Amino acid sequence: MRTTFDIRARAISSIVTLAMALFFLVLPCVVSARAAMNIQEVKSSSGVTAWLVEDYSVPIIAIRFAFEGGSTQDPKGKEGLANLITGLFDEGAGDLDSETYQSRLDDAGAEMSFTARRDSIYGSMRLLADQREEAFDLLRMAITAPRFDQAPIDRIRAQIVSGIVSGARDPEVAAQLKWASALYGDHPYARRDEGSEQSLATITADDLRAFHKAIFAREKLKISVVGAIDADTLKADLDKLFGSLPEKPTLTPIPDVQPKLGQEVRVEYDLPQTMIQLAYPGVERTAPDFFGAVLMNHILGGGTFTSRLFDEVREKRGLTYGISSSLVNYEHANALTIGTSTRADKAAEALALIRDVIRKMADNGPTQAELDAAKKYLVGAYAINNLDSSSAIASTLVELQLQDLGIDYMNRRAGLINAVTLEDTKAAAKKLLTVDPAILIVGPSLVAGSK
């Protein structure tokens, strides 16, 4: 579980105005997403680059950015540092203490958040266009001059520790930690993003300042902006927001890792349900066979209500309320994962059935009818799933930059999907699903893995 600390505007008039603007923003964004989106690359005088989508239908601006280097950059023994720092950017910056900073943010009617993930630190702000100067000045201070005062550090750390203590009583949390350790060994991906009570206790203000200095730099920064702002104005704002940051980050090299498959991880808990997860090899996001794997996975379990796994395990036999599969792409690891839960006395039957469905997909691949339906859905649903608001568009554009997919990716995506052949999906099924998976079983009845 990752912790994201959001600042929500409390000034009533600003909230009402912002909420109404957001409500009316949804429809224009969905409509515009159906057409070719005009994405501009904007470069400031200091070399800060952003992707911009101008939209004046409502007076809203959304900015999203990512610095490479997330929780994998936590020093050994100080796990949870990246997560802790994201809770402190609104707790005082520049010459403003926590209370003053948050009051100023409220007055500006802006929403700001920072989040730590495994490979990046994300930040975002959503604001009214006529409050841009004030809101962006506050964002600039958070990015370039966070205070890390001791009282906020202690308070936010205590909140995180409270969540860790509460999670220790949750068998699924304990199981996921054991699962990550089994898959990734001593790689940073095996560590808990929130850290532990012990590691958090060692983190000082100096540690936070050192982490900020190492990560918050311009070279590996990705930015997207959507809304009522033009390119020239944005160029100046990019320099104000990010121009004073160091040019290059100081990142600890992180090796690539292959999840350790062919093992069964058993966690016994006296629960009415048994949770089952399987992990198979994945595929690189930039690999030529990526979309073949995407379409195959959609047919297998990614399509939820239309997938083979859902049809066989849920619809025909009622063994679960839900089951799905996903392609997981991190910067240093990839996997295809499947997850479900079922009655403890039905766990062996469910696992055997899941393995049977996977085996048939590996042996025979999808049918042409399944492939055609999957293509139609994945092309048609993209705008609804990824481009239904200014914030969603900004988030999507940042991810495209992080994955180095190119500014024209949205125009190329449908063609890439439609170019996939039936043989491509069969090859993907054979490549990914014929490997003996890793299996996690959590519950009272320890099920023997069905081969």
Side-chain angles (χ1 to χ4, degrees), residues 88-90 92-94 101 112 114 136-148 212 216:
L88 294 166
F89 289 108
D90 65 308
Y101 185 92
M112 184 176 78
F114 285 83
F136 273 3
D137 189 51
L138 291 166
L139 180 59
R140 174 194 61 77
M141 285 191 284
I143 292 169
T144 62
R147 289 170 63 106
F148 303 131
H212 175 262
F216 279 52

Side-chain angles (χ1 to χ4, degrees), residues 47 95 136 155 162 193 207 210 216 221 236 277 345 435:
D95 59 353
F136 273 3
R155 176 163 45 81
S162 177
D193 291 341
D207 293 326
F216 279 52
L221 171 62
Q277 291 188 15
D345 62 339
V435 176

Side-chain angles (χ1 to χ4, degrees), residues 1 159-177 192 194 197 269:
M1 182 181 70
Q159 293 175 9
I160 298 171
V161 168
S162 177
I164 291 172
V165 172
S166 176
R169 298 189 291 269
D170 185 340
E172 291 194 12
V173 172
Q176 290 303 324
L177 292 174
R192 184 174 187 171
E194 296 91 334
E197 292 181 69
Y269 280 99

Side-chain angles (χ1 to χ4, degrees), residues 197-210:
E197 292 181 69
Q198 294 74 26
S199 66
L200 286 167
T202 70
I203 296 173
T204 66
D206 286 340
D207 293 326
L208 293 162
R209 294 187 188 100

Side-chain angles (χ1 to χ4, degrees), residues 109-131:
E111 297 178 348
M112 184 176 78
S113 70
F114 285 83
T115 308
R117 296 184 185 169
R118 284 178 165 176
D119 300 312
S120 299
I121 299 288
Y122 291 83
S124 64
M125 176 176 274
R126 188 167 53 179
L127 59 140
L128 297 167
D130 62 3
Q131 297 285 342

Side-chain angles (χ1 to χ4, degrees), residues 51-62:
W51 289 4
L52 168 66
V53 175
E54 293 186 46
D55 183 354
Y56 300 93
S57 56
V58 290
I60 295 290
I61 300 170

Side-chain angles (χ1 to χ4, degrees), residues 298 374-387 413:
H298 182 85
K375 287 181 177 181
K376 183 177 181 180
Y377 175 84
L378 289 176
V379 170
Y382 188 76
I384 296 172
N385 294 337
N386 297 277
L387 309 172
R413 180 179 178 275

Side-chain angles (χ1 to χ4, degrees), residues 331-345:
E331 187 172 343
H332 302 288
N334 306 286
L336 187 155
T337 62
I338 297 167
T340 191
S341 59
T342 188
R343 271 174 39 188
D345 62 339

